[in-house]
Amino acid sequence: MSEETRNQETAQENENVEVAETVESAPAASSKEEEVTSQEGLEIISLKKGDTVKGTIVKIEDNQAYVSIGYKYDGVIPIRELSSVQLDNAASAVEVGQEVECKVVSINDNKESLVLSKRAIDSEKSWDDLEKFFASQEVIEVTVADVVKGGLVADVGARGFIPASMVERHFVEDFSDYKGRTLRVKVKELDRENGKVILSAKEVLEEEFEANKQKIMSELAEGQVIEGTVQRLTQFGAFVDVGGVDGLVHVSEMAWNHVDKPADVVSEGDKVRVKVLKVDPEKGKISLSIKAASPGPWDSAAGKINIGDIVTGTVKRLVNFGAFVELLPGVEGLVHISQISHKHIGTPHEVLKEGQEVQVKVLDFNPSEKRVSLSIKETEEAPAPSPRPERTGGRDRADKAPKEVLNNPNVSLNNEGLSFTLAERFGDKLDKFKGNN
């Protein structure tokens, strides 16, 4: 080896030693500058506060997660920097092996501390997306992260709030079991400057309900008999779900017999067969009947009620012109006021009361017209007629008596009494007439 060659190698070795010493003796980056350098192979990389880095979750503790970003020590994401919403633990936001993108929050190389924020990157990205969703009113899916006073909180990159009134189509008293649920929502309000995001699940449900309602209504036909589920009861009827759409069964259509309140016939959750009476797509109303979906009492009454029969019934209603008496469940007949009593009455209330059991005679029966005519008085013996004055030759004997005799309380109108009394009454006057002669 020539001397020149030896000198070149010696110079190269000295240069390498100087570089190595320079790297080893180089002071750590100042914590003020929050900058750290790392050597990967022959490349020296600088990192400073505010930089964006990508890494992999390598470890999770209750209140933080560790991220390998390729430097000589791992970065840490505190639980508050994992999500825009409050978390119970770090594992609810990330999992080991997950790829994440973070922003550098702080660096302290002396303590090998590198603090990162996943929330900062997610928030920056989310606002652009949220503005698009708000403009287009696109439906998005969110997971309920927390239940707070007044509603629900979801992580949409930013903190999304769903007011209680915008969660469901119906009133919800307790939201405790909503945590962890996935909801389909729309962005209703957006204020990037103040970090305000208002979401609505109710609007999505309303739109889906209306679309489904129109579809179901277009498939329903009047007269169709279908199965439904009683959803809720009111004073005037029951709302029945017939495939995602509610129809009303009015209280008058609950049963063939008279019903005071729907709760006497059905309960919420009951499965019932109903007949479609009317469909009105424009008003979004469906009229249903429970009683029309089952055989009517009049259908089977023909063999049980016959003209001339005397049966026991119950007075159901009293009206000015008579009384309605139930003969069989759902079969009522009318006792006209003229057929209630042998004596004259002004109103049925004078002799009858609702709930009273009575004997009635069937005067007429027409099941096709659902009509029965009844009589109470024909089940009772007619009272004997009042005695009438005896008549002779077409006139009462009393008619022949003088007026002053008829007005005398001491005068009897029988034959003997009449003669005797007249003799006594006029005898002295007759004697005078005889003396004058």
Side-chain angles (χ1 to χ4, degrees):
M1 182 184 294
S2 65
E3 185 175 352
E4 182 178 355
T5 301
R6 280 196 203 91
N7 291 337
Q8 288 178 352
E9 290 180 355
T10 301
Q12 183 65 48
E13 289 175 1
N14 292 337
E15 183 177 348
N16 289 340
V17 170
E18 288 177 2
V19 171
E21 289 178 349
T22 300
V23 172
E24 291 177 2
S25 61
S30 167
S31 59
K32 284 185 178 181
E33 297 175 353
E34 295 182 315
E35 184 177 303
V36 69
T37 61
S38 177
Q39 181 179 349
E40 294 183 343
L42 298 176
E43 184 180 1
I44 298 176
I45 300 175
S46 279
L47 189 64
K48 62 182 183 299
K49 179 181 177 180
D51 283 352
T52 299
V53 294
K54 292 182 179 180
T56 304
I57 302 293
V58 293
K59 181 181 178 183
I60 299 176
E61 294 179 349
D62 287 343
N63 61 350
Q64 60 189 4
Y66 292 86
V67 185
S68 173
I69 56 176
Y71 294 108
K72 57 184 178 181
Y73 53 83
D74 296 332
V76 177
I77 309 176
I79 191 171
R80 67 179 182 278
E81 295 297 336
L82 279 169
S83 172
S84 58
V85 300
Q86 184 175 348
L87 302 175
D88 293 331
N89 54 69
S92 60
V94 291
E95 59 185 19
V96 173
Q98 180 180 341
E99 298 291 328
V100 293
E101 189 172 5
C102 303
K103 179 172 285 191
V104 176
V105 175
S106 66
I107 304 168
N108 188 336
D109 193 38
N110 291 329
K111 296 183 179 181
E112 293 190 347
S113 172
L114 175 61
V115 180
L116 307 175
S117 173
K118 177 178 178 293
R119 175 175 64 88
I121 297 299
D122 291 344
S123 181
E124 288 177 2
K125 290 182 176 180
S126 68
W127 279 104
D128 292 337
D129 292 335
L130 288 170
E131 287 175 348
K132 292 178 184 177
F133 296 146
F134 180 62
S136 65
Q137 287 297 285
E138 181 181 345
V139 177
I140 60 176
E141 287 191 349
V142 300
T143 301
V144 178
D146 200 6
V147 177
V148 297
K149 184 178 181 180
L152 309 175
V153 174
D155 185 359
V156 287
R159 181 182 186 273
F161 181 62
I162 311 174
S165 61
M166 297 186 184
V167 176
E168 299 284 358
R169 293 181 58 243
H170 56 272
F171 173 75
V172 178
E173 185 174 354
D174 183 10
F175 288 100
S176 59
D177 63 340
Y178 274 70
K179 188 172 182 178
R181 285 196 194 183
T182 298
L183 301 179
R184 302 174 72 244
V185 300
K186 281 188 175 184
V187 180
K188 296 308 299 173
E189 293 183 38
L190 201 60
D191 186 343
R192 187 165 189 168
E193 183 177 345
N194 296 308
K196 181 181 179 182
V197 182
I198 303 297
L199 308 172
S200 173
K202 179 179 179 179
E203 183 163 329
V204 177
L205 295 174
E206 290 283 9
E207 290 179 354
E208 291 175 347
F209 173 79
E210 286 302 323
N212 184 60
K213 184 175 183 178
Q214 292 302 317
K215 179 178 179 297
I216 296 297
M217 293 182 76
S218 67
E219 297 172 350
L220 290 177
E222 294 182 6
Q224 183 178 358
V225 177
I226 53 179
E227 187 176 84
T229 304
V230 179
Q231 291 296 308
R232 56 193 176 92
L233 303 179
T234 66
Q235 292 182 342
F236 54 83
F239 285 93
V240 177
D241 182 347
V242 286
V245 180
D246 289 348
L248 175 64
V249 179
H250 191 267
V251 67
S252 62
E253 294 293 333
M254 302 292 295
W256 288 105
N257 56 304
H258 176 71
V259 177
D260 290 325
K261 55 183 184 297
D264 293 338
V265 181
V266 295
S267 302
E268 292 183 2
D270 284 355
K271 300 290 184 182
V272 293
R273 283 174 59 80
V274 293
K275 185 174 183 178
V276 180
L277 301 181
K278 186 177 181 181
V279 180
D280 190 339
E282 292 185 2
K283 294 183 179 179
K285 292 183 179 181
I286 303 172
S287 298
L288 306 171
S289 174
I290 292 177
K291 73 178 186 182
S294 59
W298 290 91
D299 298 332
S300 58
K304 300 177 181 178
I305 299 175
N306 302 291
I307 296 176
D309 287 350
I310 294 178
V311 297
T312 300
T314 303
V315 177
K316 304 299 287 187
R317 290 174 292 143
L318 296 176
V319 292
N320 290 334
F321 54 85
F324 286 94
V325 176
E326 185 180 60
L327 305 179
L328 297 170
V331 177
E332 293 181 3
L334 173 65
V335 181
H336 190 269
I337 190 170
S338 63
Q339 291 295 326
I340 291 178
S341 176
H342 287 285
K343 66 179 181 179
H344 174 75
I345 58 174
T347 68
H349 297 81
E350 294 179 17
V351 293
L352 297 175
K353 61 182 179 180
E354 293 182 359
Q356 178 181 347
E357 285 195 352
V358 292
Q359 293 284 311
V360 291
K361 183 176 181 179
V362 180
L363 302 180
D364 186 36
F365 177 54
N366 190 333
S368 62
E369 296 183 6
K370 297 180 175 60
R371 188 179 69 243
V372 184
S373 296
L374 306 171
S375 173
I376 293 176
K377 75 178 185 180
E378 289 201 17
T379 66
E380 302 170 346
E381 185 177 350
S386 301
R388 302 177 68 180
E390 185 180 350
R391 303 177 69 85
T392 302
R395 293 184 63 191
D396 290 325
R397 290 190 180 95
D399 293 342
K400 300 177 181 179
K403 185 174 180 181
E404 61 179 316
V405 173
L406 294 177
N407 292 334
N408 188 335
N410 297 317
V411 176
S412 170
L413 296 183
N414 58 54
N415 290 338
E416 296 178 358
L418 179 61
S419 301
F420 177 77
T421 304
L422 288 174
E424 287 184 336
R425 177 71 180 81
F426 298 109
D428 55 344
K429 293 184 179 180
L430 292 174
D431 291 340
K432 292 179 181 180
F433 285 119
K434 290 178 181 180
N436 293 332
N437 291 331

